[in-house]
Amino acid sequence: MPDFSTIDFAAILPFIAIGFAAQVIDGALGMAFGLINSTLLVSMLGMPPALASASVHAVETFTTAASGTSHIVHRNVDWRLFGRLVVPGVLGGVLGAYVLSNIDAAVARPFVMAYLAAIGLFLLFRAWRGALTLRSPRIVAPLGLAGGFLDAAGGGGWGPVVTSNLLVQGSAPRTTIGTVNTSEFFLTATVSITFFTQMGWAAFSLATLGLLIGGLAAAPLGGVVAKHVPARPLMAMVGTLLTVTSAYTIWQALR
């Protein structure tokens, strides 16, 4: 187990700031905490993908619990949709964590990001076009399975995959974001346990602690933002974030 008795807080301040900013975005838009932090840990600090994903999911176990509570308090959760997402998401997450712990799954990431960038552009088009036609999404369980797998195997992806595809199907932005955020707690808790059984205490570091402090401080804010921002601007923000983060990840992978 790491020794936290001699912590240099100056060294973890950047991680606290990043964790705070990433969680504000994730709580409000239903995505990006895993992508932002995994990109930082892998691309800038050279952390192995499996260790980065394990660290981020350990943090997300706590931040998603706080963020989900905020969304529940602000009535942003569609409980029927929640029930359809949780079990497939958990199953996909366990499989993804096992694969990443034993096989390098990074080769597929640029293709997944290209798909998500295209989804982001489509969401921007829908927000720009005008009034949104809301309807109940039909494809949910396969989406949860794919989102859970990609989230664990890629260090982030539950929000981008699940939130964006539910929005494309016509699901209401506010309850989609709240439901995806709330259900993510069960995914991250299961994925963290799976990584721990495969890697032990190596999944925890000072970077993990910094991200956790910042993420927990910001978690209650997401539910407030999602509740008060209208549907069209909310969808436009999701589309912009998805397009920019996916394009950046593709550039990092191909350069």
Side-chain angles (χ1 to χ4, degrees), residues 75-240:
R75 299 183 179 180
N76 296 336
V77 180
D78 178 340
W79 291 107
R80 184 170 178 271
L81 180 61
F82 173 90
R84 296 168 68 190
L85 276 177
V86 167
V87 173
V90 166
L91 292 175
V94 170
L95 180 59
Y98 177 79
V99 168
L100 187 60
S101 298
N102 296 278
I103 302 171
D104 184 9
V107 68
R109 194 171 189 187
F111 299 99
V112 175
M113 292 299 109
Y115 166 73
L116 293 176
I119 291 292
L121 291 173
F122 180 71
L123 292 177
L124 282 173
F125 170 74
R126 285 195 65 202
W128 168 79
R129 186 178 58 180
L132 304 178
T133 302
L134 302 181
R135 55 185 179 273
S136 179
R138 295 184 178 182
I139 303 174
V140 177
L143 199 54
L145 185 67
F149 177 84
L150 292 171
D151 188 87
W158 173 255
V161 171
V162 178
T163 301
S164 62
N165 280 278
L166 288 174
L167 292 177
V168 166
Q169 293 183 64
S171 186
R174 179 176 68 87
T175 54
T176 298
I177 290 167
T179 303
V180 172
N181 250 258
T182 304
S183 59
E184 189 175 12
F185 165 74
F186 296 91
L187 169 68
T188 55
T190 305
V191 170
S192 295
I193 292 170
T194 305
F195 273 124
F196 184 77
T197 62
Q198 298 292 314
M199 302 173 62
W201 289 107
F204 302 92
S205 65
L206 289 180
T208 310
L209 179 62
L211 296 177
L212 176 60
I213 294 171
L216 285 176
L221 302 177
V224 179
V225 176
K227 181 178 181 179
H228 293 289
V229 177
R232 281 185 63 194
L234 204 56
M235 181 171 285
M237 287 189 284
V238 171
T240 300

Side-chain angles (χ1 to χ4, degrees), residues 49-65:
L51 180 56
S53 184
S55 299
V56 169
H57 281 90
V59 172
E60 283 188 307
T61 300
F62 299 93
T63 59
T64 54

